[in-house]
Amino acid sequence: MSDRPFPTEAQADAGQAAREFVQFAIESGVLCFGQFTTKAGRQSPYFFNAGLFNDGRKLLRLAQFYANAIVRSGIEFDMVFGPAYKGIVLAAAVSMELARLGRNVPYAYNRKEAKDHGEGGTLVGAPLQGRVLIVDDVISAGTAVREAMALIRSAGATPHALAIALDRQEMATENGRDVPYSAVQYVQQQLGVQVCAVAGLGDILGFLEQCGTQTAAQQQLRQHHEAVLAYRQRYGV
């Protein structure tokens, strides 16, 4: 008999939502399997490209996954911030979905280059203030998060939390070497920022493991389970 504690209802709901997100990402062509080289130079058996959530229906569904995960997390915040470039669309879409759920908050984003006419500057949208929730797709080295945090602090606000679509749950690298913590753990422990992820590598593995063999599509997905599991065993945290 297992001594593993039974999941709470909220945890079960989160797990189900994460698996639904993985399926959605696969069907949208955002999550694919094969051989891909990561920024760290690793050969990864999967690749996640959030830029392929590229039509209105997909973006709406994506925003629903984010907003529901944020609400479930219980993270408190006063506004949403989207780092350029992918974070811009995500912040706007997530803010709209949060408003639909009854949580109306302001949002802002930044430009990569400062505007030298009109209102000028690098910030667009609501003034940065209070506890800020940063919304982005994934984090690898945490560089973009640090840049966003510095920008938020320079405006007098507090970088309080981060919401991402996928936590790769693998070792980060420093100076070309693997370190025994992930980018998400670094953000949480070293930068003091709470992190909410819609799904993680464990959810991808769980989805692949549960794939049946009744159809060719299911068989094709199921065959990637061993490669993803081996990758996690080598680089996972």
Side-chain angles (χ1 to χ4, degrees):
M1 182 175 179
S2 173
D3 60 358
R4 181 181 299 174
F6 290 105
T8 66
E9 184 176 349
Q11 290 172 329
D13 289 345
Q16 178 61 29
R19 289 188 291 273
E20 289 176 1
F21 175 74
V22 170
Q23 181 174 355
F24 166 61
I26 292 172
E27 292 172 350
S28 300
V30 170
L31 176 60
C32 49
F33 302 93
Q35 287 294 323
F36 307 94
T37 303
T38 69
K39 186 179 293 187
R42 297 170 183 159
Q43 293 302 303
S44 172
Y46 74 97
F47 181 63
F48 185 86
N49 181 7
L52 295 179
F53 289 122
N54 54 13
D55 64 36
R57 190 185 301 273
K58 292 174 187 173
L59 184 59
L60 174 60
R61 188 76 180 105
L62 176 63
Q64 291 170 341
F65 277 112
Y66 266 99
N68 287 327
I70 291 167
V71 171
R72 278 195 305 270
S73 74
I75 291 173
E76 297 182 355
F77 58 96
D78 301 305
M79 68 175 297
V80 171
F81 176 78
Y85 289 103
K86 289 179 181 177
I88 295 174
V89 174
L90 291 173
V94 171
S95 295
M96 288 189 286
E97 180 60 19
L98 285 170
R100 194 188 68 80
L101 295 176
R103 182 76 167 89
N104 186 36
V105 294
Y107 79 94
Y109 59 89
N110 70 300
R111 302 184 181 97
K112 287 285 190 179
E113 301 82 21
K115 187 177 180 181
D116 59 4
H117 60 281
E119 77 277 16
T122 60
L123 292 173
V124 182
L128 286 172
Q129 57 187 3
R131 299 163 299 181
V132 180
L133 170 67
I134 303 167
V135 180
D136 214 343
D137 55 348
V138 295
I139 56 174
S140 50
T143 304
V145 176
R146 287 195 294 269
E147 291 174 353
M149 290 177 62
L151 191 155
I152 291 166
R153 286 197 178 103
S154 69
T158 302
H160 183 67
L162 169 69
I164 56 174
L166 181 69
D167 178 2
R168 289 185 62 98
Q169 296 177 305
E170 65 181 74
M171 292 183 287
T173 58
E174 289 183 2
N175 301 317
R177 295 183 178 181
D178 294 338
V179 292
Y181 52 80
S182 70
V184 165
Q185 290 172 332
Y186 172 81
V187 169
Q188 291 172 318
Q189 298 168 10
Q190 303 299 319
L191 303 184
V193 171
Q194 299 179 64
V195 179
C196 167
V198 177
L201 178 55
D203 299 304
I204 295 176
L205 275 167
F207 178 84
L208 294 175
E209 188 174 19
Q210 292 177 7
C211 278
T213 58
Q214 289 81 8
T215 68
Q218 289 175 333
Q219 291 176 359
Q220 188 173 15
L221 284 173
R222 183 67 178 268
Q223 71 182 6
H224 296 295
H225 179 265
E226 288 189 11
V228 176
L229 179 60
Y231 186 81
R232 185 184 191 184
Q233 289 173 338
R234 180 171 182 182
Y235 297 113
V237 293

